Amino acid sequence: MKQILLRADDLGYSEGINFGIAKLVTNNKLRTIGLIINLTYSKNGYELVKKENICLGLHSNISNGYPILNSKEIPSLVTANGTFKSSKEYNHSMHNFVNYNDVYNEVEAQYLYFKKLTGRKPDYIDAHAVFNATYFKAIEAVALKYGLLCIPSIADTKEKCSIGSTDLYFWMESMNDDYDPNKTFQEMCQSKRRACEVMILHPGYIDDELLSTSSLIFPRVKEVEFLMKLKLDEIAEKEQIDFITYNDLKKEGKV
């Protein structure tokens, strides 16, 4: 049976995003959610979904808001006012300015704060917005130390990666000008690959925080409406699709 995983990133980013994701979770449209832990709305986001049966991951973040650690402890990651450098600074720099110890310590601090807030380990850990080899290496090291499932970060969508014995293809097309989440979903369903197809989503509603800090705006609203209309049970039966989470892969012993 074909496997599809629908994953929503950015819980905790803003109040509007929290409400959009919570709506989808409570309506059984999403079961895999990445929580950003260091932002003003992080606790609010967690409170909205904490009673739901979901696969909740740590969406580690080094590009928005203030760090968990004192900014003086991680100088390569922060600006003069103590906030994280932007994703553009990381992704478009001509040299890798990220200090491994800085990013390792911050990612570990975010993991420990996740445990403090939720009372449990995250079901997985991955990266938010930044494509940097040192960052990825640090996430992998934290995952290894604490026995976490580490989700690879891939810059090119539809590129294959492997987690244990499972091959996965990640689809993230929301930055495309002609993005249609339903079209992307249909292409995933029609794929003949013997792999798990993962649709990376960023659903939510627009608010001032989002408008002030993110370049991804209207596709988030599109994704909420698309998912709310999605009849997952009917699709699963008709198309012979198993909608899974990362936890399901762990139960199967594939990761």
Side-chain angles (χ1 to χ4, degrees):
M1 183 175 285
K2 184 175 187 59
Q3 292 182 323
I4 286 181
L5 193 155
L6 303 175
R7 184 184 104 200
D9 293 347
D10 293 358
L11 181 68
Y13 193 101
S14 77
E15 191 173 34
I17 289 177
N18 290 348
F19 288 149
I21 291 177
K23 179 179 180 179
L24 295 167
V25 169
T26 55
N27 281 277
N28 298 313
K29 303 298 183 180
L30 282 174
R31 294 191 298 138
T32 302
I33 311 295
L35 172 64
I36 298 177
I37 204 68
N38 67 299
L39 300 177
T40 302
Y41 295 98
S42 296
K43 185 176 181 181
N44 166 258
Y46 174 66
E47 290 293 326
L48 291 173
V49 302
K50 69 179 183 180
K51 294 182 180 179
E52 304 295 331
N53 181 24
I54 58 174
C55 175
L56 185 66
L58 171 57
H59 197 45
S60 70
N61 167 42
I62 60 169
S63 59
N64 289 89
Y66 288 89
I68 297 295
L69 295 177
N70 187 302
S71 61
K72 294 180 181 179
E73 299 178 64
I74 51 172
S76 72
L77 307 181
V78 296
T79 64
N81 65 4
T83 60
F84 280 128
K85 293 176 180 176
S86 70
S87 59
K88 288 183 179 180
E89 289 179 86
Y90 291 102
N91 295 336
H92 299 294
S93 175
M94 297 300 293
H95 69 284
N96 182 8
F97 56 79
V98 178
N99 176 276
Y100 176 79
N101 289 332
D102 288 357
V103 72
Y104 176 91
N105 290 338
E106 174 62 21
V107 171
E108 182 179 44
Q110 291 186 17
Y111 161 74
L112 294 173
Y113 188 73
F114 183 104
K115 281 194 67 180
K116 180 179 179 181
L117 176 64
T118 67
R120 66 179 182 91
K121 289 183 176 183
D123 293 312
Y124 65 93
I125 184 171
D126 66 2
H128 168 69
V130 172
F131 296 93
N132 177 276
T134 305
Y135 179 31
F136 299 160
K137 184 179 178 181
I139 293 173
E140 291 171 358
V142 171
L144 181 63
K145 179 177 179 178
Y146 293 102
L148 308 176
L149 175 62
C150 183
I151 306 302
S153 297
I154 294 177
D156 295 324
T157 58
K158 301 184 188 178
E159 180 181 340
K160 185 178 78 171
C161 73
S162 296
I163 303 176
S165 62
T166 303
D167 290 336
L168 301 97
Y169 285 88
F170 290 88
W171 300 64
M172 190 178 75
E173 301 185 338
S174 52
M175 299 302 290
N176 297 346
D177 292 337
D178 60 348
Y179 176 54
D180 179 351
N182 185 61
K183 180 181 178 182
T184 299
F185 178 75
Q186 293 301 325
E187 288 181 11
M188 291 171 59
C189 291
Q190 294 164 10
S191 171
K192 303 300 182 183
R193 296 183 293 223
R194 297 181 63 85
C196 176
E197 308 284 345
V198 181
M199 187 173 185
I200 302 175
L201 299 143
H202 302 83
Y205 293 121
I206 298 171
D207 57 18
D208 186 64
E209 180 72 19
L210 183 66
L211 290 173
S212 300
T213 61
S214 178
S215 60
L216 186 62
I217 307 295
F218 296 109
R220 296 179 187 268
V221 180
K222 283 185 179 180
E223 289 180 345
V224 174
E225 297 308 306
F226 153 69
L227 288 166
M228 284 301 299
K229 293 176 182 178
L230 207 58
K231 298 180 179 179
L232 292 174
D233 291 340
E234 291 183 15
I235 295 170
E237 182 176 357
K238 181 180 179 181
E239 304 294 338
Q240 289 296 289
I241 292 173
D242 188 14
F243 290 100
I244 66 167
T245 70
Y246 292 128
N247 285 340
D248 294 323
L249 292 178
K250 288 189 281 189
K251 289 175 185 176
E252 296 171 8
K254 293 183 177 181
V255 297

